[in-house]
Amino acid sequence: MNLVNKLLISSEDKNDDSEIKLQKKILVLSSLLIATFGAFWGLIYFIYGEVRSAYIPWTYSILSLTSIAVYFTFHKYKLFRFLQLLLPLLLPLFLMISLGDFHYSSAVILWSFTCPLGAFLFLSRKKAILWFVAYIAVVVIGFIFEGTMKPSGTLTPLLIKLFYVMNIVGVSTVVFILLSYFLAQKNTITKLLEIEREKSEELLLNILPKQIADILKSGSRTIADEYQNVSILFADIVNFTPLSQKCKPKELVQMLNEVFSYFDELVEKYDVEKIKTIGDCYMVASGIPQSRNDHAFALVSLALDIQKHFRGNKYNRTKISFRIGINSGPVVAGVIGKKKFIYDLWGDAVNTASRMESNGEKDMIQITKSTYELIKNDFVCKSKGFIDVKGKGQLAVWHVLKPVQVKSQVILQ
């Protein structure tokens, strides 16, 4: 059995896809099985005096094994496949004619049916129909030439019945083994494909919200939606440029990975949407694509967790500080790109949130009036008066200091 397995594995080519590998294994396996039956059939005919007929199954076995050897030598799969369909189609016909008729040959022509069966496994449905037509033609030819050669009469009625049983059982066994092997291998491939599909699904959900991913996969429409009540957070590492100059490239990437991986945990904790990272800047939104009344509360809570975590932690003995800006308002959300697509936000609310971060102070969470009105009863905030914002003029801003009281309940959507 180990030898057969090694032979089946060696029939593959490294460039073959899973389906072709499966076909090659089945074809080699079926060729070995039928060649074995042919040698056994020939031996029985030879023992009982049908010497002329014995050479036909032996010839089949020799030709079949030779075609396998040629395939492993020259790797001409299409030629090998054609021969392994043609041989079992024609040789049973010649054997039947040599024995005399359908009855005396014990319907040995049934073996020709393995040809269209193999065509279904190894070729397209259209080509398999052509091979089935060829099988019907072979049966008709057998009927026409029946009796051309007179039976020798050396086979007893009991032996003829025994050959009937052997032919029926033999063909059924080959069919059953091939289909069983095919289904087992197919199930294995299906499971592997399902694992790969789940990996692809997981990767897609790491890029897009689930609702957006479902729409994108269905291709039902262009993804562009307007949301009236959304909060946007930008968090940026203070003095990142001089910090990056002190680090080796690998250390820099590792630092950002650790920092943003913690952010990802907070995104999952508060059930908000990570939009993207831009260098050392992290962008998060709440209230999309699923609307929620506490969108501002969720992002401010997330921002306070960032402050708390990095206030007591250092990276390579270096304290990391953030500027965090939050704004609330209407946005347009959609997917751009065809290959490396991204779910992004646009609108004045997004630009203002970015300005809150870039015009903010170290270790502070700076929010606009629109966000302040939504969270003022839940958090202690300090007014910072007005700041001059590029493109916006004078804007009133607040710094979030701490919660009014610790909320232990899970945030409700």
Side-chain angles (χ1 to χ4, degrees), residues 55-76:
Y55 287 118
I56 295 176
W58 282 346
T59 300
Y60 169 80
S61 297
I62 293 171
L63 291 176
S64 182
L65 294 174
T66 301
S67 69
I68 293 174
V70 171
Y71 167 64
F72 279 103
T73 302
F74 298 101
H75 301 285
K76 301 294 184 181

Side-chain angles (χ1 to χ4, degrees), residues 382-406:
K382 180 180 180 180
S383 174
K384 299 299 292 183
F386 290 84
I387 62 171
D388 186 49
V389 177
K390 182 179 180 181
K392 301 290 293 183
Q394 295 289 313
L395 289 182
V397 296
W398 284 258
H399 285 176
V400 180
L401 303 181
K402 61 181 180 180
V404 170
Q405 58 182 5
V406 178

Side-chain angles (χ1 to χ4, degrees), residues 75-94:
H75 301 285
K76 301 294 184 181
Y77 173 62
K78 291 183 178 179
L79 175 62
F80 173 57
R81 182 177 60 191
F82 175 76
L83 291 175
Q84 290 299 332
L85 292 176
L86 185 65
L87 289 174
L89 178 68
L90 298 180
L91 270 295
L93 170 65
F94 297 149

Side-chain angles (χ1 to χ4, degrees), residues 8-24:
L8 295 179
I9 293 173
S10 62
S11 68
E12 303 173 358
D13 187 275
K14 62 181 181 179
N15 297 321
D16 293 337
D17 58 29
S18 299
E19 186 173 357
I20 293 297
K21 287 181 180 179
L22 176 59
Q23 288 181 1
K24 288 182 176 180

Side-chain angles (χ1 to χ4, degrees), residues 169-380:
V169 172
V171 173
S172 302
T173 300
V174 170
V175 171
F176 181 80
I177 291 175
L178 291 182
L179 290 179
S180 297
Y181 184 81
F182 179 81
L183 290 175
Q185 294 294 317
K186 204 75 172 179
N187 289 338
T188 300
I189 292 174
T190 301
K191 289 179 181 178
L192 292 175
L193 290 175
E194 180 64 22
I195 292 172
E196 292 302 317
R197 188 197 67 79
E198 290 176 358
K199 288 181 180 178
S200 299
E201 183 78 9
E202 185 177 350
L203 287 173
L204 188 61
L205 294 179
N206 284 336
I207 300 171
L208 302 172
K210 186 179 185 307
Q211 300 95 316
I212 302 302
D214 291 340
I215 296 172
L216 188 65
K217 286 186 292 184
S218 67
S220 59
R221 65 178 176 86
T222 301
I223 301 175
D225 299 295
E226 187 173 359
Y227 299 89
Q228 295 300 318
N229 301 301
V230 177
S231 290
I232 309 100
L233 177 150
F234 285 88
D236 187 81
I237 299 175
V238 178
N239 296 323
F240 178 74
T241 299
L243 177 62
S244 64
Q245 292 174 347
K246 299 177 182 178
C247 299
K248 296 179 180 179
K250 185 176 181 180
E251 293 176 343
L252 180 65
V253 173
Q254 185 175 353
M255 178 191 72
L256 289 175
N257 181 59
E258 290 184 11
V259 169
F260 290 159
S261 292
Y262 174 70
F263 281 29
D264 290 342
E265 293 176 8
L266 294 179
V267 165
E268 186 173 352
K269 173 183 176 181
Y270 289 103
D271 197 18
V272 293
E273 288 297 335
K274 172 185 176 180
I275 304 301
K276 58 185 174 182
T277 59
I278 312 166
D280 62 313
C281 184
Y282 195 96
M283 179 182 177
V284 188
S286 178
I288 58 162
Q290 186 69 37
S291 298
R292 55 190 294 177
N293 295 327
D294 63 341
H295 54 89
F297 178 86
L299 283 194
V300 172
S301 299
L302 184 149
L304 287 172
D305 278 359
I306 293 174
Q307 274 191 340
K308 180 180 179 181
H309 179 80
F310 288 99
R311 186 179 294 125
N313 288 280
K314 294 183 178 181
Y315 183 84
N316 284 350
R317 297 184 297 277
T318 301
K319 184 178 182 301
I320 300 176
S321 301
F322 290 89
R323 289 189 304 270
I324 300 176
I326 303 176
N327 181 42
S328 304
V331 301
V332 173
V335 175
I336 56 175
K338 292 184 178 180
K339 293 184 178 179
K340 295 183 178 180
F341 42 77
I342 185 173
Y343 184 66
D344 210 349
L345 308 180
W346 299 273
D348 183 66
V350 178
N351 297 332
T352 303
S354 178
R355 295 286 184 265
M356 288 299 98
E357 177 273 311
S358 59
N359 289 275
E361 299 179 18
K362 175 181 176 181
D363 290 327
M364 288 297 172
I365 303 167
Q366 186 160 269
I367 63 174
T368 59
K369 183 178 181 181
S370 59
T371 303
Y372 171 74
E373 292 296 333
L374 294 172
I375 57 95
K376 62 183 180 181
N377 295 324
D378 299 304
F379 298 92
V380 177

